């Protein structure tokens, strides 16, 4: 829990317990706004409404809108990685693990989830040329996904389910482009079957 304490004057007037808010719940609300609208189209008033916080509490906890974005981005990556690893873990072979990773992004690329978009992809669009530090966070997220995919491909090569002739690094980059592209296309309202067909076609990269 994060202390969203009162201003000095308010503190003088009140001897009650400082107000508190649930950081995780607040960041979950913030990341939904950032994912749907993008960083630049999101205002502090949008965040105060979504997070159910006063602007003073937001500035105290995060300093500014950029601070809210970075905190929400970190939580988004943490939760996403946890869900992705849980989806991959039960797969018996490297090839199946690759497919499950592709399907993880596919399932986020249609319907309500698809229209909400991806905070990482949106961050790449918003910060690539404008904010070097934030852009580095986005680049790190992309690189982590690319490394994981390359590792899964190599597991498939070791267990014989993916041909040795596949260039693991090149295929991993191609999958990165595909999965992030799915999140962009997902905002246009494509159907689940269309996205699954794309995922199945992508598996030819490791055939």
């Amino acid at each position: 829990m994060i202390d969203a304490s009162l201003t000095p004057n308010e503190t003088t007037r009140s001897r009650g317990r400082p107000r508190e808010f649930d950081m995780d719940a607040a960041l979950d609300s913030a990341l939904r706004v950032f994912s749907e609208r993008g960083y630049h189209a999101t205002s502090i008033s949008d965040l105060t409404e979504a997070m159910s916080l006063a602007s003073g509490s937001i500035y105290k906890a995060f300093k500014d809108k950029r601070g809210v974005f970075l905190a929400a981005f970190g939580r988004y990556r943490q939760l996403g990685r946890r869900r992705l690893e849980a989806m991959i873990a039960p797969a018996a072979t490297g090839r199946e693990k690759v497919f499950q990773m592709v399907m993880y992004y596919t399932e986020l690329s249609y319907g309500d989830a698809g229209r909400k978009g991806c905070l990482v992809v949106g961050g790449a669009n918003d910060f690539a040329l404008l904010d070097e530090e934030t852009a580095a966070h986005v680049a790190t997220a992309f690189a982590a996904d690319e490394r994981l995919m390359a590792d899964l491909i190599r597991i498939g090569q070791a267990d014989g389910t993916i041909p040795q002739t596949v260039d693991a690094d090149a295929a991993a980059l191609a999958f990165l482009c595909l999965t992030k592209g799915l999140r962009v296309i997902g905002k246009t309202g494509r159907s689940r079957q269309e996205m699954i067909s794309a995922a199945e076609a992508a598996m030819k990269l490791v055939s």
Side-chain angles (χ1 to χ4, degrees), residues 7 9 19 26-27 35 37 54 63 70 77-78 82-83 86 91 101 107 118-119 124-125 128 136 159 180 196-198:
T7 64
N9 288 338
R19 288 172 294 177
L27 291 179
S35 295
R37 302 186 183 188
K63 183 187 281 188
L70 289 175
R77 284 293 297 167
Q78 179 186 54
R82 192 180 302 163
R83 289 191 295 264
M101 184 168 179
E107 294 292 348
C118 173
L119 197 64
N125 291 333
D159 66 25
K180 303 315 175 190
I196 291 177
S197 294

Side-chain angles (χ1 to χ4, degrees), residues 38-53:
Y39 178 81
H40 296 297
T42 298
S43 66
I44 285 292
S45 62
D46 293 329
L47 293 172
T48 59
E49 181 178 357
M51 300 166 78
S52 298
L53 295 174

Side-chain angles (χ1 to χ4, degrees), residues 28-157:
D28 288 345
S29 297
L31 70 84
R32 282 193 293 271
V33 176
F34 283 127
S35 295
E36 291 172 5
R37 302 186 183 188
Y39 178 81
H40 296 297
T42 298
S43 66
I44 285 292
S45 62
D46 293 329
L47 293 172
T48 59
E49 181 178 357
M51 300 166 78
S52 298
L53 295 174
S55 58
S57 295
I58 289 180
Y59 288 124
K60 182 176 178 63
F62 305 103
K63 183 187 281 188
D64 53 22
K65 184 175 77 168
R66 181 174 176 274
V68 180
F69 178 86
L70 289 175
F73 186 90
R75 177 160 172 78
Y76 182 81
R77 284 293 297 167
Q78 179 186 54
L79 294 176
R81 190 69 172 208
R82 192 180 302 163
R83 289 191 295 264
L84 174 59
E85 290 176 351
M87 192 164 177
I88 292 170
T93 68
R95 183 182 180 81
E96 180 61 20
K97 289 179 185 294
V98 169
F99 183 64
Q100 289 302 317
M101 184 168 179
V102 176
M103 284 301 298
Y104 170 78
Y105 292 104
T106 299
E107 294 292 348
L108 292 172
S109 299
Y110 65 88
D112 289 340
R115 283 187 288 274
K116 288 178 181 177
C118 173
L119 197 64
V120 178
V121 174
N125 291 333
D126 286 338
F127 293 107
L129 300 176
L130 300 177
D131 187 318
E132 290 185 3
E133 180 184 355
T134 309
H137 284 276
V138 175
T140 297
F142 282 158
D145 285 350
E146 186 177 353
R147 283 195 303 272
L148 176 58
M149 180 59 80
D151 289 344
L152 298 181
I153 292 170
R154 292 190 173 97
I155 289 172
Q157 290 176 321

